[in-house]
Amino acid sequence: MTDYKRHLNKRLLALCICFIALLIFLNYKYGLETWLTNLPGLPGAGVTGRILLFSLSFGLPYLLSSWFNDASYWKQPKFLLLFFTAVILFSLKSGFGPPASWFLPGNKNDYWDYILYWPSRLLLILGVLFLFYKKTDPSFFGLTWRSTPLRPYLYMLILMIPLVVFASTQADFLAMYPKLKVVLPYLEGSQNSGWKKFLFELAYGSDFIGIEVFFRGFLIFSFARFAGRDAILPMACFYCTIHFGKPLFECISSFGGGLLLGIVSYHSRSVIGGLIVHLGIAWMMEGGGYLGNLLK
């Protein structure tokens, strides 16, 4: 962290913070993401609208970085290929909402549609990233236990407990969490509802594997070949915008969290620690949402 702060251009950081703050304001005040993904006449607006949003949130920090550092990222075809692959891939992943019986048609299968939904998005991410994987790399975009002491990440999770407890008292948080509630109507009267709830949480958690490998793996290690540690800040800006639609506090904190986890993965060459933190927070939020709604 100290090494990153020493080398970071403070003016670049300030501009990126102002930029992401502006995007957050436009989204939560005027519905920027909703507007982009519902533009009349825009083909496949759910995907193409996100391509526009992610191109802006990921591209402008790189434009600023190339200007401050007199770098030529944008003149290199490999950089452009990685950039547009990243934007389009995550737009495809995000643009398809929760299933409407498109895995297993029929109302009785709605529960299983949700169980297949998140793992299918994980397979999409891993399948495309495999095309960019080089066998000479020490790991598949940071999926390695090497250089991953568990204690610091457990401390991070402990520090998050009071924040999750606070969030669990907020109306916007309780309206969204737990995610489990979307399948509860399909489990009424089921003799196996306990293990089905557990299976749902595992399926939900699988989505975070793809997110960590994509953001703290692919967007750090592949882009660091061009930008070094300057790949961390654009990743954090991009990461923040995928939280549009989440509670405001969660969206704001995702920028700082993404920056911190990006620094850790850059220096450790592993995303496992970030995955532990991300999964731990996600499941704590599930528990907080469940208890918060129960006590409301």
Side-chain angles (χ1 to χ4, degrees), residues 182-262:
V182 299
V183 299
L184 291 180
Y186 310 124
L187 300 182
E188 291 180 0
S190 173
Q191 296 179 345
N192 301 310
S193 62
W195 76 263
K196 285 185 176 180
K197 291 176 183 178
F198 178 70
L199 184 59
F200 174 89
E201 294 296 350
L202 288 181
Y204 173 54
S206 72
D207 195 43
F208 297 96
I209 300 173
I211 289 174
E212 284 303 313
V213 172
F214 180 82
F215 282 95
R216 259 65 72 177
F218 180 58
L219 296 194
I220 296 293
F221 304 138
S222 294
F223 285 79
R225 295 168 182 164
F226 303 92
R229 58 174 57 84
D230 288 327
I232 298 171
L233 192 52
M235 177 278 296
C237 293
F238 187 171
Y239 181 63
C240 182
T241 55
I242 75 167
H243 290 79
F244 285 1
K246 299 288 185 70
L248 177 59
F249 177 77
E250 183 180 348
C251 179
I252 293 172
S253 62
S254 69
F255 175 75
L259 196 62
L260 176 60
L261 292 177

Side-chain angles (χ1 to χ4, degrees), residues 12 24 64 82 88 134 143 153 202 229 242 259 293:
L12 174 61
I24 291 173
L64 292 172
L82 289 171
I88 294 171
K134 297 180 179 179
L143 277 177
Y153 302 106
L202 288 181
R229 58 174 57 84
I242 75 167
L259 196 62
N293 278 291

Side-chain angles (χ1 to χ4, degrees), residues 70-81:
D70 195 24
S72 56
Y73 315 135
W74 300 98
K75 297 179 181 179
Q76 302 183 53
K78 289 184 178 179
F79 176 85
L80 293 174
L81 174 63

Side-chain angles (χ1 to χ4, degrees), residues 110-185:
D110 284 352
Y111 168 81
W112 294 105
D113 285 329
Y114 276 97
I115 297 303
L116 293 170
Y117 171 59
W118 284 295
S120 70
R121 303 207 306 179
L122 170 62
L123 291 176
L124 171 66
I125 291 289
L126 297 183
V128 174
L129 294 191
F130 186 77
L131 301 176
F132 294 89
Y133 172 59
K134 297 180 179 179
K135 293 183 179 180
T136 54
D137 291 345
S139 66
F140 182 79
F141 299 107
L143 277 177
T144 175
W145 283 95
R146 187 187 63 176
S147 306
T148 310
L150 294 180
R151 186 175 296 178
Y153 302 106
L154 295 177
Y155 288 156
M156 290 183 194
L157 287 175
I158 292 171
L159 289 173
M160 286 300 300
I161 291 175
L163 296 178
V164 173
V165 170
F166 169 75
S168 301
T169 65
Q170 305 303 301
D172 57 347
F173 180 90
L174 295 178
M176 181 162 290
Y177 295 100
K179 297 289 187 180
L180 177 65
K181 63 187 176 184
V182 299
V183 299
L184 291 180

